[in-house]
Amino acid sequence: MTSTVTRRGVLRSAGLATAAFSLAACSSGNTKSGAGADKVRLSVGVDPAYAPIYLAQRDGMFDTAGVAVEFVQVEGGAAGVQNISAGTTHLSVNADATVIPVAAKSDKIAAIASFEHSDTYFKVVLRKGVEPADIHSMVYFPGLGEYMTGKYLRSVGREPSDIKMVSAAPPDFDAILSRGDADGCVIFDPWVSRAVKQGARVVAESKDFDAGFSQWIIADATWLESNQKTAGIVVDVLGKAAARIRKDPDLGVRATAKQVDVPQKTAESAVSDIHFEVRGFTDEDFRASRDLVRFLTSVDAVDGEVDLPKVMRRGWYARHAGAAGPSSGA
């Protein structure tokens, strides 16, 4: 059983809900980096999850690598991958659950590397006094949120079909819980912290029910064909920025604070929960993606077959970025 409070649709909400934040340094929507090279348009959201991009921009890492990057601000969700599909940007970073439904309908989507992953970013929050066995209703955001919620419920022996499912935008979650309109949710900060302030409590993390999330670097497949080396340079820069944040997480926190209007504690929490690592796709990535396809098909977010080997370019990272280096050619 499902009711809707503020439904934005599966594609719009399948990624991280970033609309609550606003860019501090990119308020015009676009900023430029580099000179004397072909310009690469990169969609970027307004969320601590994009910390490596913020760090690379802040420290002039794209300039140093000799590539000009134009940052196109998006609100999150499917906007970045939709820009790729429409041909308005060359590269983007989006959640796997956001990319797959669009890629199922578009030949223009090429996932070329994993950007980050986490098995603790999503938390299970229940109202005060509610135990897992007492759950009668859950609030969720469509797409990735619905997937996470279903995985949690089944892990505690509950079937989603037996639970009242309330669809809403994450900014509404704390109010819905405080009114008693739902018993719990599976969500990430700052919405976790807001719910806890209203008396709710965290009872589990996504690692407890085998439901991590991943974000991918995706490219316009047509553009990629003739710009492999340039794409490799950009991806390599992001990989180096991610490595710096792994070594010193405060770099990611400070870069986020410079670019995004978000409380420092929220940035610290998000950065600590995410493993920033730019790498090629693995067998485990394909296993998780097949699981996602099955779920997205079951909720009618994907219609028809998804050619994952075509979408997820296994081996691209090794040939054009990372250890091989962008000099490995087009």
Side-chain angles (χ1 to χ4, degrees):
M1 61 190 87
T2 303
S3 62
T4 302
V5 175
T6 309
R7 191 173 187 90
R8 295 186 178 183
V10 171
L11 292 182
R12 187 174 179 83
S13 300
L16 300 182
T18 59
F21 304 111
S22 60
L23 283 179
C26 302
S27 57
S28 66
N30 302 323
T31 62
K32 299 176 182 178
S33 174
D38 292 338
K39 187 181 297 182
V40 179
R41 296 193 301 277
L42 170 63
S43 291
V44 57
V46 282
D47 186 288
Y50 296 90
I53 300 177
Y54 302 148
L55 180 63
Q57 179 190 17
R58 188 198 72 176
D59 289 0
M61 295 175 67
F62 294 110
D63 294 333
T64 300
V67 62
V69 178
E70 180 178 349
F71 299 92
V72 180
Q73 177 186 332
V74 296
E75 66 174 9
V81 66
Q82 288 170 345
N83 280 350
I84 297 290
S85 183
T88 57
T89 58
H90 303 124
L91 297 170
S92 182
V93 172
N94 283 94
D96 47 5
T98 307
V99 174
I100 289 171
V102 180
K105 298 179 179 180
S106 173
D107 291 333
K108 294 198 69 175
I109 309 301
I112 56 178
S114 176
F115 182 70
E116 67 193 28
H117 67 273
S118 174
D119 59 4
T120 60
Y121 194 57
F122 279 78
K123 321 283 186 186
V124 181
V125 178
L126 297 181
R127 288 192 300 112
K128 184 177 181 180
V130 175
E131 299 296 332
D134 303 324
I135 295 173
H136 295 291
S137 59
M138 293 286 282
V139 59
Y140 71 97
F141 66 91
L144 185 58
E146 187 174 5
Y147 171 74
M148 291 283 186
T149 304
K151 291 275 283 189
Y152 168 69
L153 289 170
R154 292 188 178 94
S155 76
V156 294
R158 309 298 302 279
E159 279 298 320
S161 59
D162 297 331
I163 304 296
K164 179 183 178 182
M165 302 294 285
V166 180
S167 175
D172 299 324
F173 279 25
D174 58 330
I176 290 170
L177 294 179
S178 64
R179 291 197 306 264
D181 292 341
D183 293 324
C185 63
V186 183
I187 196 61
F188 48 88
D189 260 328
W191 322 119
V192 172
S193 299
R194 293 187 181 185
V196 169
K197 286 182 180 179
Q198 297 295 325
R201 73 191 195 285
V202 175
V203 300
E205 298 178 331
S206 50
K207 67 179 180 181
D208 299 321
F209 49 98
D210 189 29
F213 96 99
S214 298
Q215 294 227 84
W216 296 343
I217 301 173
I218 61 174
D220 177 331
T222 303
W223 173 84
L224 186 65
E225 287 181 6
S226 55
N227 291 276
Q228 303 277 20
K229 183 175 181 179
T230 300
I233 294 172
V234 174
V235 171
D236 193 53
V237 167
L238 294 178
K240 290 175 180 176
R244 292 177 63 196
I245 292 174
R246 289 199 304 276
K247 185 175 181 180
D248 183 1
D250 192 52
L251 285 174
V253 173
R254 294 200 306 269
T256 297
K258 179 178 175 62
Q259 296 288 358
V260 181
D261 183 15
V262 60
Q264 182 168 332
K265 287 187 177 180
T266 297
E268 290 173 351
S269 175
V271 169
S272 68
D273 273 336
I274 298 172
H275 181 74
F276 297 101
E277 181 183 14
V278 177
R279 57 169 176 76
F281 292 118
T282 65
D283 288 343
E284 174 59 23
D285 294 321
F286 276 86
R287 183 202 67 78
S289 296
R290 287 192 293 270
D291 190 27
L292 264 177
V293 169
R294 284 191 291 271
F295 164 74
L296 293 168
T297 301
S298 73
V299 297
D300 298 324
V302 170
D303 182 16
E305 297 294 322
V306 179
D307 188 350
L308 285 176
K310 180 179 179 182
V311 175
M312 301 169 67
R313 303 295 176 90
R314 188 195 291 266
W316 185 93
Y317 179 81
R319 292 191 299 272
H320 302 291
S327 61
S328 55

